[in-house]
Amino acid sequence: TINTELLKKASRILIVAQDILVDFASYPTKKIAQNSHEFRPLGLGYANLGTLIMMNGHPYDSDEGRAIAGLISAIMTGHAYEVSSEIAKSLETFKGYEKNENTMMGVMQKHAESLNNDTYQLKGNQIVKKLMNEAKDCWNGVLEKGEKNGFRNSQVTVLAPTGTIGLLMDCATTGVEPAYSLVMWKKLAGGGVIPIVNQSVPHVLRQLNYTESQIESITE
């Protein structure tokens, strides 16, 4: 299962925090600073997507994998825009919103319509079904709130490479990439190397109904 309520809660906290930081951050040039203050673009993203797909027993390059990845992105982005609209109601929209309103609402409409893509039509997959229902609720909320309040931010998400920070967060995969290898070799400070099996492997094998003795044998 994927806990969509916690996903939305995390998205809400981080979008609010990032919007606050716009006014306190330092920028490399005056033009970038001006653009950031006038359009307030944010960069919510995720790491460890490949591991999440594996943990649910799906190959990275599969219909199920693509559907889960797309719908998680839809929920994260949709709820972030919902929160952005709520902030705009309490404070104000970004300065460039009024002249870009029609275009931006058109983009939001296209996002909502993309949920009808064939990628998500996987009958019988309960995870995809649950994610789809949540994603549709989010994007209906985006269109409704956006029409009334506008948005605080011109952009809310970006899928950046998360190599270094992903390692610090103990991620088995980084950004949106699949696992580089199921076995990694760690150099030891005193010399020599040890093999480390990707932490998701035993869990995934259980998901695929391997026995404990088979899992132990494969891991070894």
Side-chain angles (χ1 to χ4, degrees):
T1 60
I2 296 170
N3 191 323
T4 55
E5 287 306 308
L6 280 180
L7 174 61
K8 287 164 62 180
K9 183 177 180 180
S11 299
R12 173 176 292 274
I13 290 169
L14 288 167
I15 280 296
V16 171
Q18 286 184 28
D19 186 67
I20 292 169
L21 283 173
V22 169
D23 295 320
F24 290 92
S26 58
Y27 300 94
T29 67
K30 287 184 178 180
K31 188 166 179 70
I32 291 174
Q34 181 183 353
N35 184 74
S36 296
H37 288 296
E38 290 185 0
F39 291 90
R40 309 184 73 83
L42 306 182
L44 183 66
Y46 48 58
N48 224 19
L49 180 70
T51 300
L52 176 68
I53 294 170
M54 283 197 295
M55 295 281 262
N56 280 281
H58 300 303
Y60 188 84
D61 184 20
S62 65
D63 290 340
E64 292 84 0
R66 281 184 286 274
I68 291 170
L71 289 168
I72 286 174
S73 301
I75 294 167
M76 181 182 73
T77 306
H79 192 59
Y81 274 119
E82 280 190 281
V83 175
S84 179
S85 185
E86 291 169 19
I87 298 172
K89 181 181 179 181
S90 298
L91 300 176
E92 60 181 357
T93 61
F94 64 89
K95 289 181 182 177
Y97 181 72
E98 191 173 339
K99 63 182 179 182
N100 290 286
E101 181 177 0
N102 291 337
T103 303
M104 190 161 182
M105 285 306 300
V107 171
M108 298 299 113
Q109 185 68 49
K110 286 185 177 182
H111 274 301
E113 290 172 357
S114 72
L115 291 172
N116 298 319
N117 192 300
D118 290 341
T119 303
Y120 308 123
Q121 310 309 314
L122 299 176
K123 294 180 180 178
N125 189 305
Q126 294 305 308
I127 290 178
V128 171
K129 183 179 179 181
K130 179 185 176 183
L131 291 175
M132 172 61 83
N133 291 337
E134 192 66 61
K136 285 186 174 180
D137 285 346
C138 283
W139 281 98
N140 286 338
V142 172
L143 297 178
E144 183 180 337
K145 292 174 184 177
E147 198 69 48
K148 293 178 182 176
N149 312 323
F151 298 95
R152 177 71 167 168
N153 314 94
S154 61
Q155 174 187 313
V156 292
T157 55
V158 62
L159 293 183
T162 57
T164 304
I165 197 171
L167 292 174
L168 293 173
M169 292 165 63
D170 199 29
C171 295
T173 58
T174 60
V176 297
E177 304 96 300
Y180 176 75
S181 173
L182 294 182
V183 180
M184 295 167 283
W185 296 85
K186 180 176 178 60
K187 290 184 180 180
L188 301 177
V193 293
I194 58 170
I196 300 174
V197 177
N198 186 301
Q199 61 187 356
S200 65
V201 169
H203 179 90
V204 173
L205 292 174
R206 289 187 190 95
Q207 287 280 81
L208 298 175
N209 297 318
Y210 282 77
T211 65
E212 288 302 317
S213 61
Q214 288 174 319
I215 293 170
E216 187 177 347
S217 175
I218 291 169
T219 303
E220 286 297 314

